Amino acid sequence: MRCVVLDDYQGVALANADWSGLDVTVLRDHLDDPAQALADAECVVIMRERTPFPAELFARLPKLRLLVTSGMRNASIDLAAAREHSVTVCGTGSAKTPPTELTWALILGLARHIATENAAFHAGGPWQSTVGVDLAGATLGLVGFGNLGRAVGRIGKAFGMDVVAWSQNLTAERTDAEGVRLASSLHDLLAQSDFASIHLVLGDRSRGLVDAAALAAMKPTAFLVNTSRAAIVDNAALLEVLRERRIAGAGLDVFEIEPLPLNDELRTLPNVLATPHLGYVTAANYRTYFAEAVEDIHAFLRGTPVRELS
């Protein structure tokens, strides 16, 4: 089976699984339009949402029979179009701990101005130029309280933070079980938070949820962290509050366009601490992704697909 692995940025796909018996081509550079490169592919392996698969792309790939994505959820795949074109879509396992850990890397980086101090250290700049923000006693607001939100909250409590959570269907029973306060609304949560961290799945209810009015509720000393999906936050409104320093800063791992264009304003703002969608990028996760992708391919060839997405 002719397989193409897309967006292997680090060049590690082949080393993380046994691809023997398969005709595999690995593409490391992102392609805005991958149709030509995939013209002969019967199987395509994609990493998260690095390359979207809309209906238009399925229509241009008549040889495609199997699409494998890392993780068991990928909002950038048009599953209805896949069914229409008789393409089986399968996923893989994915650990919850890596994005939790990156969330805390961003929170700590913002609180202690790590990027600024590290740059000064290497450039021979001033020895100490910033004053850190204390986590102990500060309020951590969690927008979303599923597996990731709860894990982030537990670490916040270990730092001695006051943790408050909110989502549309969240109940006091669930927050009380974790020793976390329930906010009455999104605006209530953001108004209280010294650090607000987003942990929602992107969907119709969450798209654009953190809009200009929500951001206006935040304190000028507060930080917003988003390791979930960029579209949950109104990008234009976020740029405005950061530009005008109406919040202290933002820690971002997700962007509306990825890779983020070189001329994007977010790259110019000094109060933005950003990573290039690294939340899931760890050695253990990659081993799971690629090993289970190979399992998916062999199961499909045996006529017994596993981990199908629907």
Side-chain angles (χ1 to χ4, degrees):
M1 187 177 221
R2 176 154 171 70
C3 302
V4 177
V5 179
L6 288 180
D7 298 308
D8 181 17
Y9 295 157
Q10 295 91 356
V12 295
L14 297 182
N16 274 281
D18 180 4
W19 299 83
S20 57
L22 300 170
D23 179 7
V24 183
T25 299
V26 175
L27 302 179
R28 293 188 60 176
D29 295 329
H30 177 75
L31 302 174
D32 289 332
D33 182 0
Q36 184 174 350
L38 302 178
D40 294 324
E42 298 170 279
C43 167
V44 174
V45 177
I46 60 176
M47 177 66 73
R48 308 303 293 179
E49 289 98 13
R50 289 177 185 174
T51 294
F53 259 73
E56 179 270 340
L57 183 55
F58 281 107
R60 296 168 66 193
L61 301 175
K63 295 184 180 180
L64 184 63
R65 299 162 55 201
L66 175 65
L67 178 65
V68 178
T69 176
S70 58
M72 289 301 295
R73 182 189 295 121
N74 190 328
S76 71
I77 298 173
D78 188 327
L79 293 174
R83 290 190 293 271
E84 181 182 340
H85 292 277
S86 300
V87 176
T88 299
V89 182
C90 298
T92 74
S94 184
K96 305 297 184 185
T97 49
T100 300
E101 293 166 0
L102 187 77
T103 296
W104 278 101
L106 290 173
I107 292 173
L108 289 164
L110 289 166
R112 302 305 295 268
H113 308 284
I114 298 297
T116 298
E117 296 290 3
N118 181 65
F121 178 87
H122 287 286
W127 188 262
Q128 295 188 13
S129 63
T130 64
V131 177
V133 175
D134 294 284
L135 297 184
T139 297
L140 171 65
L142 301 171
V143 184
F145 202 60
N147 290 330
L148 291 177
R150 288 196 301 273
V152 170
R154 289 167 188 159
I155 296 170
K157 289 176 68 63
F159 274 113
M161 301 183 79
D162 175 28
V163 182
V164 58
W166 175 88
S167 68
Q168 284 99 332
N169 298 322
L170 188 59
T171 64
E173 182 180 9
R174 289 175 57 197
T175 54
D176 288 349
E178 292 284 332
V180 170
R181 294 188 295 111
L182 176 65
S184 61
S185 67
L186 173 62
H187 287 205
D188 175 41
L189 178 134
L190 293 175
Q192 298 182 56
S193 298
D194 297 299
F195 294 85
S197 189
I198 298 171
H199 302 285
L200 294 172
V201 174
L202 179 62
D204 292 339
R205 291 198 306 171
S206 63
R207 187 178 298 275
L209 178 70
V210 182
D211 56 13
L215 292 169
M218 296 183 68
K219 296 183 285 190
T221 55
F223 297 91
L224 180 71
V225 175
N226 189 3
T227 57
S228 182
R229 289 296 179 268
I232 295 171
V233 181
D234 182 313
N235 187 62
L238 178 61
L239 282 169
E240 183 176 346
V241 297
L242 289 168
R243 189 189 305 124
E244 298 179 3
R245 295 186 177 272
R246 286 192 270 127
I247 64 173
L252 305 174
D253 187 49
V254 287
F255 308 91
E256 289 189 342
I257 300 173
E258 296 182 6
L260 190 68
L262 295 178
N263 62 353
D264 193 284
E265 186 180 358
L266 281 172
R267 292 181 179 268
T268 72
L269 297 174
N271 52 351
V272 172
L273 177 61
T275 47
H277 206 155
L278 295 177
Y280 58 91
V281 180
T282 66
N285 246 0
Y286 268 33
R287 285 193 295 270
T288 299
Y289 290 163
F290 292 117
E292 292 195 3
V294 171
E295 291 177 4
D296 289 349
I297 296 169
H298 286 300
F300 175 82
L301 291 172
R302 291 192 301 268
T304 55
V306 294
R307 292 185 286 266
E308 286 190 74
L309 275 62
S310 59

